Amino acid sequence: MARRASNEQATVTFHVIEKGVFDEDGEFTPSKFTSDEFISLKEKITNQENPDLNDPTDLELVRKGKVIPFSNIEEDSGRIMTGTFEGAYSGHAFKNSDYGKIHAKSVNQRLFCFLIYHSENGRIYVGAQYLGLYGAYTDLKDTLLRFISLPKNTRVRSIRMDAEEFANSTPLELRLTLKRPASEAGAEPKLGSAGALSFRRVPGSETFEVTVKDKLLAFLGNPAAKMKQQIAAIVSESELYEINEDDIENCSVIVRAGKSEKIIYLLGENSTATRFLLDVPFESIDGLPITPETKKQMLKILKEKVLSKNPND
């Protein structure tokens, strides 16, 4: 069993399907998926016939992600289902060492693990595995929503945990926008009307990096008031400027994550679902994560890192 390089690692994202009602203003009032509705969803997954790729109609449905084959289905405690599904890729020609040119109209399918969990609070959590850059969550989501058959009474949210997302990044710069100019410690304001501050990492020193990671990034996801308290505290600790938390309008951190730089907005939402690393072995022949170990790891992360933040689920 071989393990993959970091750019081919297996990861998992989590998402929540909620049942409810949208009012005329677009506000959503949640309700609960019943046990019978979740049982119906599981039955539709289990009983779906696999498409015939020799049938032009079935092939087109697979190509468009309208039908995804499911396999390796298992249930646990009535609230959890795990399995595998195949995501379709097409539209680009490429060469294969065994088969020569693969035409753009051909359909290539990749195998991924998934899980669904019916929470105590009546929400449906979805876990979708990725392998490097490859994944098919959108097709999985669309299939599940079609099976649920409540297009006007559902919404889907992706789980993002910024503290997890940026745990291994290197902070480079802290940027602050203030409602009024900051004061130098023990002095009158001297920064003019810009109301902006910037703190940068000093090469060879770990003080900035440790402070930002331990006292800011570790608190991501907390309410804005709590984040502003943290920001004001570390700026004041620098003994260079004095600011009040009520004066903080915006704050961001530029970090190096791998070979690229990203901006983390401390007082707003960052986009896309968090990808949690799956520490699993790979098959030596097919080069895929071993399915039982992958499903086990996905359940572990769901319980320990996702549901732990939502105790009512």
Side-chain angles (χ1 to χ4, degrees), residues 165-174 200-205 208-209 212-213 217 252-264:
E165 185 83 6
F166 300 111
N168 297 317
S169 62
T170 301
L172 301 176
E173 183 179 356
L174 174 65
R200 292 183 175 87
R201 177 175 178 266
V202 177
S205 173
F208 176 83
E209 178 180 341
V212 172
K213 292 183 73 169
L217 298 187
S252 61
V253 177
I254 298 177
V255 302
R256 182 185 298 114
K259 295 182 179 179
S260 62
E261 292 185 5
K262 297 182 180 180
I263 299 178
I264 307 172

Side-chain angles (χ1 to χ4, degrees), residues 61-134:
L61 290 173
V62 171
R63 185 197 314 278
K64 293 180 178 179
K66 301 295 184 182
V67 174
I68 57 175
F70 291 99
S71 56
N72 300 306
I73 301 298
E74 293 182 300
E75 292 193 47
D76 180 7
S77 75
R79 288 190 174 273
I80 297 172
M81 171 180 276
T82 63
T84 54
F85 71 101
E86 294 176 44
Y89 289 81
S90 66
H92 298 91
F94 59 92
K95 285 186 177 181
N96 180 276
S97 60
D98 290 336
Y99 300 101
K101 184 175 181 179
I102 305 298
H103 294 280
K105 291 186 178 181
S106 66
V107 174
N108 306 284
Q109 294 174 288
R110 289 177 176 266
L111 191 71
F112 305 100
C113 292
F114 80 94
L115 70 79
I116 55 174
Y117 164 68
H118 184 214
S119 76
E120 297 282 351
N121 209 27
R123 304 194 294 177
I124 296 176
Y125 283 79
V126 180
Q129 177 236 317
Y130 286 75
L131 183 57
L133 297 176
Y134 292 99

Side-chain angles (χ1 to χ4, degrees), residues 172-177 191 196-200 208 241 254:
L172 301 176
E173 183 179 356
L174 174 65
R175 293 177 177 176
L176 274 168
T177 303
L191 295 181
L197 290 176
S198 175
F199 299 88
R200 292 183 175 87
F208 176 83
Y241 299 99
I254 298 177

Side-chain angles (χ1 to χ4, degrees), residues 26 29 44 57 63 88 125 142-143 166 203 218 258 310:
T29 301
K44 288 177 181 178
T57 301
R63 185 197 314 278
Y125 283 79
D142 290 347
T143 298
F166 300 111
N310 299 277

Side-chain angles (χ1 to χ4, degrees), residues 4-296:
R4 303 285 97 180
S6 60
N7 64 342
E8 296 179 325
Q9 287 177 330
T11 56
V12 60
T13 60
F14 291 97
H15 315 264
V16 179
I17 304 175
E18 293 180 298
K19 178 183 175 182
V21 178
F22 288 96
D23 63 22
E24 294 180 354
D25 297 323
E27 293 294 321
F28 186 80
T29 301
S31 57
K32 296 182 177 183
F33 284 104
T34 66
S35 295
D36 287 343
E37 287 173 321
F38 189 65
I39 290 171
S40 175
L41 173 61
K42 292 190 296 182
E43 288 177 345
K44 288 177 181 178
I45 292 173
T46 303
N47 296 333
Q48 177 188 256
E49 292 186 7
N50 283 332
D52 179 2
L53 298 184
N54 293 314
D55 182 308
T57 301
D58 280 9
L59 182 63
E60 194 61 24
L61 290 173
V62 171
R63 185 197 314 278
K64 293 180 178 179
K66 301 295 184 182
V67 174
I68 57 175
F70 291 99
S71 56
N72 300 306
I73 301 298
E74 293 182 300
E75 292 193 47
D76 180 7
S77 75
R79 288 190 174 273
I80 297 172
M81 171 180 276
T82 63
T84 54
F85 71 101
E86 294 176 44
Y89 289 81
S90 66
H92 298 91
F94 59 92
K95 285 186 177 181
N96 180 276
S97 60
D98 290 336
Y99 300 101
K101 184 175 181 179
I102 305 298
H103 294 280
K105 291 186 178 181
S106 66
V107 174
N108 306 284
Q109 294 174 288
R110 289 177 176 266
L111 191 71
F112 305 100
C113 292
F114 80 94
L115 70 79
I116 55 174
Y117 164 68
H118 184 214
S119 76
E120 297 282 351
N121 209 27
R123 304 194 294 177
I124 296 176
Y125 283 79
V126 180
Q129 177 236 317
Y130 286 75
L131 183 57
L133 297 176
Y134 292 99
Y137 160 68
T138 300
D139 293 346
L140 174 64
K141 176 197 68 176
D142 290 347
T143 298
L144 296 178
L145 291 176
R146 187 172 70 253
F147 286 166
I148 291 171
S149 301
L150 294 171
K152 296 182 180 180
N153 296 97
T154 53
R155 72 173 180 181
V156 182
R157 297 185 298 108
S158 294
I159 302 294
R160 183 171 183 88
M161 296 184 181
D162 292 315
E164 177 81 20
E165 185 83 6
F166 300 111
N168 297 317
S169 62
T170 301
L172 301 176
E173 183 179 356
L174 174 65
R175 293 177 177 176
L176 274 168
T177 303
L178 306 175
K179 295 177 182 177
R180 61 184 177 84
S183 300
E184 292 186 11
E188 295 298 319
K190 294 182 179 179
L191 295 181
S193 59
L197 290 176
S198 175
F199 299 88
R200 292 183 175 87
R201 177 175 178 266
V202 177
S205 173
E206 295 183 357
T207 302
F208 176 83
E209 178 180 341
V210 171
T211 299
V212 172
K213 292 183 73 169
D214 291 352
K215 296 186 177 182
L216 287 182
L217 298 187
F219 285 82
L220 281 168
N222 277 276
K226 176 66 175 176
M227 292 302 303
K228 288 183 178 182
Q229 289 177 2
Q230 292 294 117
I231 295 164
I234 69 166
V235 172
S236 298
E237 285 174 6
S238 71
E239 299 183 351
L240 295 175
Y241 299 99
E242 294 178 354
I243 65 172
N244 188 301
E245 61 195 67
D246 294 330
D247 294 331
I248 299 173
E249 189 169 49
N250 208 341
C251 185
S252 61
V253 177
I254 298 177
V255 302
R256 182 185 298 114
K259 295 182 179 179
S260 62
E261 292 185 5
K262 297 182 180 180
I263 299 178
I264 307 172
Y265 297 96
L266 301 184
L267 302 178
E269 293 187 2
N270 296 287
S271 61
T272 74
T274 294
R275 290 197 184 189
F276 297 89
L277 179 65
L278 292 166
D279 185 17
V280 294
F282 285 71
E283 297 176 358
S284 58
I285 297 177
D286 292 338
L288 298 175
I290 294 177
T291 295
E293 293 297 324
T294 302
K295 294 196 292 185
K296 188 184 300 182

